[in-house]
Amino acid sequence: MSLEGAIDPMLRSLWSQNFRVGDPVVFRMAKHGTRPSPRAMNVSPSRFGEEYYYEVEKYWTVEEISETALTVRTRRGKLHVIEYNDPRLRPAHWWEKLFFRSRFPIHTRNQDVTA
């Protein structure tokens, strides 16, 4: 058994301990457009200055946990599958849970997606 084979299950178990179903998470999403939103971070112009590249923090809730990824729900009910080792994903800080609680979707079991 290689060293990578031994470490990988250990990392997965550590990540699964950090996330539980219903936990709020923050995902930093890269975007581009002609007008960055007020919450935009790391704003930089494109090569010819017609657009901007920036990042926005998205506030989601964990819906399901698998061996290699998390399924998260957005405020509008969409589901995304994100790998554990994605550096843009992190657990929400206590102050984000307190001050931005309206931005996190409420977790309910078997929630249907509505249009």
Side-chain angles (χ1 to χ4, degrees):
M1 178 181 232
S2 69
L3 185 59
E4 288 179 11
I7 293 175
D8 194 20
M10 289 182 354
L11 289 176
R12 278 194 213 134
S13 67
L14 286 173
W15 275 105
S16 65
Q17 291 172 4
N18 287 342
F19 296 109
R20 290 185 292 215
V21 174
D23 281 354
V25 294
V26 178
F27 187 77
R28 189 169 282 198
M29 183 173 280
K31 298 185 126 197
H32 65 90
T34 55
R35 298 174 73 186
S37 69
R39 295 186 324 177
M41 297 178 274
N42 302 328
V43 179
S44 62
S46 65
R47 184 173 173 197
F48 296 108
E50 297 167 354
E51 289 189 328
Y52 294 96
Y53 295 104
Y54 56 96
E55 295 177 336
V56 177
E57 288 188 334
K58 300 292 187 171
Y59 301 96
W60 296 338
T61 303
V62 176
E63 285 291 314
E64 187 179 318
I65 300 173
S66 70
E67 285 187 24
T68 59
L70 294 174
T71 302
V72 294
R73 183 176 298 275
T74 68
R75 284 195 305 180
R76 296 189 176 220
K78 294 179 185 176
L79 296 175
H80 295 282
V81 178
I82 302 173
E83 298 288 325
Y84 286 128
N85 59 358
D86 194 329
R88 301 172 296 172
L89 178 70
R90 65 173 173 81
H93 297 294
W94 67 268
W95 54 270
E96 290 171 319
K97 294 177 193 177
L98 179 66
F99 293 116
F100 302 136
R101 65 181 165 262
S102 63
R103 295 183 185 176
F104 291 103
I106 298 171
H107 170 74
T108 57
R109 287 212 169 269
N110 299 328
Q111 183 177 9
D112 293 329
V113 177
T114 56

